[in-house]
Amino acid sequence: MVVAAAFAYVNFKFLKLPSTIGLMVLGLASSLVVVVLGQLGVGWVMNVGELVRSVDFSALLMQVMLSFLLFAGALHTDIQALGQEKGAVATLATAGTVLSTMLVAGAMYLLLPLVGLGLPIIDCLLFGALISPTDPIAVLGILRKARIPPQLEIRVVGESLFNDGVGVVVFISLLQVARQGMESMSGPELLGLFAREAVGGIALGAVLGYVGYRLLKSIDQYQVEVLITLALVMGGTALAEALHTSGPLAMVAAGLVVGTQGRRLGMSDVTREYLDKFWELIDEVLNALLFVLIGLEMLVLRFEKTYLAVGMAAVLVVLAARALSVAVPLALLPPRVRYGRSGLAILTWGGLRGGISVALALSLPTALASRDLLVAVTYVVVVFSILVQGLTIGKLVERLGLAGQGPAQAHH
């Protein structure tokens, strides 16, 4: 937290980069400094490494932070606008995520033996699943600043809210297969697992959201109402875990219900203002922590030269898979729902990979032989996507002539 605050200050005052990108740059830079100092034999550096190693990044993000981040994101999403785009959003989040998983897995399966690192297909599928969810947080601020058309913005937001949940569900299902062996899992069994996680998660979230909305409507005191939303996220995540359904999808559904019904019908203006500010802050603070952690995790990764080369190849594979997994599902929708070429370009280049991919990679069991390779490659893809794509997406929006079509940014 201290590091995140220091970095946020330095970034705001001197670097002036978008906050998530600035924090990650500083995190990576300080990791490199620490690594160099370690090789020069500076004693206290070992303690920093130990400290980072003691953080269970994967459990922290998957069991704590992700629920808060997704709930906060869903809370501020306009469900009516999302409703108009539901076909495109649902297609991208489900078919797009699954297609991307398979394309990435297939390409890696064929390419890795060329550098003598051939992996079983299940390991490649796990990599495909963990790298497919996009992270809206890093890119949203930039797209809003560029004022892209609202229709495109809601598709970017909607897709990344749901594809996080879908990506996690696909990953968990594949991890079950990896643990039990390909032979022992039947197709229906896998589908059942997927349905319980995904459908169960959304249904649970909708019910929780409705209960939350009734509670919010019955009182008018902002402290208690903020407390109710907090309880909804924490209790809801624990309940989803106990019922073996998807916590992330449950939180998206709950956030959408509370954000629409609750804000419109169940809150006074004072409560609405406090609730929005509270969740906006939670969002900012957790993101600051998340991106600093991504930067610092570099300290404890095992990097080999071949991993870096594989990582750079994976960047191209992931981008190509992203382009196809956006274009193909959307081509099946009716023409009025499709994007122009410029919309496709923004969805492809703006599909940044973030904390969720890193957390899923770090949650791979240590017994998995390919774990070090997969974690390192994930890292290269995430760092590339946040630094290179994140810093150039604004320019791309301008080049394509889509800037300035959205509403002017309100300053808080």
Side-chain angles (χ1 to χ4, degrees):
M1 206 64 186
V2 174
V3 172
F7 285 179
Y9 180 82
V10 170
N11 180 52
F12 186 81
K13 196 113 174 79
F14 305 109
L15 293 183
K16 297 185 168 35
L17 290 170
S19 65
T20 44
I21 297 176
L23 289 169
M24 189 167 135
V25 169
L26 288 166
L28 288 169
S30 51
S31 292
L32 288 173
V33 170
V34 172
V35 169
V36 171
L37 289 176
Q39 296 191 324
L40 295 173
V42 179
W44 56 266
V45 167
M46 299 310 292
N47 303 348
V48 180
E50 280 310 303
L51 199 66
V52 174
R53 203 171 270 115
S54 70
V55 176
D56 187 344
F57 182 83
S58 172
L60 180 68
L61 181 65
M62 300 308 294
Q63 287 160 25
V64 184
M65 292 165 83
L66 189 61
S67 300
F68 284 100
L69 291 169
L70 289 174
F71 183 83
L75 197 62
H76 293 113
T77 303
D78 178 350
I79 203 167
Q80 282 168 318
L82 192 63
Q84 290 161 0
E85 300 294 327
K86 61 181 179 289
V89 168
T91 310
L92 281 172
T94 51
T97 307
V98 173
L99 181 61
S100 167
T101 300
M102 291 160 110
L103 289 170
V104 172
M108 296 307 276
Y109 186 69
L110 297 172
L111 289 173
L112 283 170
L114 303 179
V115 287
L117 288 169
L119 291 183
I121 187 71
I122 186 70
D123 294 22
C124 296
L125 280 165
L126 279 169
F127 176 69
L130 67 85
I131 208 70
S132 291
T134 55
D135 183 351
I137 295 140
V139 78
L140 252 185
I142 305 167
L143 290 180
R144 286 207 174 115
K145 255 199 202 91
R147 310 214 331 247
I148 59 167
Q151 184 194 18
L152 193 56
E153 186 187 318
I154 199 81
R155 286 180 178 185
V156 173
V157 181
E159 182 215 358
S160 40
L161 274 178
F162 284 100
N163 81 2
D164 278 4
V166 173
V168 172
V169 171
V170 172
F171 179 81
I172 290 169
S173 309
L174 288 167
L175 204 51
Q176 283 294 97
V177 178
R179 287 209 174 105
Q180 296 181 10
M182 293 283 270
E183 305 72 44
S184 59
M185 277 293 255
S186 64
E189 223 180 327
L190 241 181
L191 276 174
L193 182 73
F194 189 81
R196 188 181 69 203
E197 286 269 348
V199 181
I202 290 173
L204 174 68
V207 171
L208 288 171
Y210 182 72
V211 171
Y213 151 67
R214 298 300 305 188
L215 289 171
L216 294 171
K217 196 174 174 181
S218 66
I219 58 169
D220 180 19
Q221 204 224 10
Y222 74 86
Q223 293 96 328
V224 179
E225 293 183 64
V226 168
L227 201 55
I228 288 171
T229 56
L230 262 179
L232 187 69
V233 175
M234 292 180 166
T237 307
L239 185 59
E241 192 103 338
L243 296 173
H244 300 293
T245 63
S246 168
L249 283 172
M251 287 308 107
V252 171
L256 286 171
V257 175
V258 172
T260 315
Q261 294 291 94
R263 274 170 64 190
R264 219 179 47 229
L265 308 169
M267 292 177 204
S268 64
D269 290 346
V270 175
T271 300
R272 196 174 302 121
E273 191 184 351
Y274 273 102
L275 196 78
D276 282 352
K277 289 236 180 349
F278 175 80
W279 280 100
E280 233 164 77
L281 263 177
I282 290 263
D283 205 21
E284 283 291 316
V285 171
L286 287 183
N287 269 306
L289 272 180
L290 174 62
F291 282 90
V292 167
L293 270 173
I294 292 179
L296 294 177
E297 276 290 326
M298 281 290 284
L299 286 175
V300 293
L301 288 188
R302 275 197 45 227
F303 256 102
E304 291 175 21
K305 289 202 177 70
T306 38
Y307 291 1
L308 203 61
V310 173
M312 290 319 291
V315 167
L316 299 174
V317 166
V318 169
L319 276 171
R322 171 71 181 163
L324 282 168
S325 66
V326 169
V328 173
L330 287 177
L332 307 175
L333 292 173
R336 63 182 173 72
V337 187
R338 287 183 210 160
Y339 303 121
R341 299 254 298 272
S342 48
L344 280 177
I346 285 178
L347 271 175
T348 302
W349 197 247
L352 269 66
R353 308 305 195 262
I356 191 164
S357 296
V358 174
L360 289 174
L362 291 169
S363 74
L364 288 166
T366 32
L368 194 72
S370 60
R371 184 180 187 270
D372 281 348
L373 169 67
L374 294 183
V375 172
V377 172
T378 304
Y379 233 84
V380 176
V381 174
V382 168
V383 171
F384 175 89
S385 96
I386 289 175
L387 297 189
V388 179
Q389 291 169 241
L391 288 174
T392 51
I393 184 79
K395 297 271 188 300
L396 179 68
V397 172
E398 282 165 27
R399 283 280 304 275
L400 294 168
L402 289 172
Q405 295 182 25
Q409 184 115 25
H411 284 290
H412 296 297

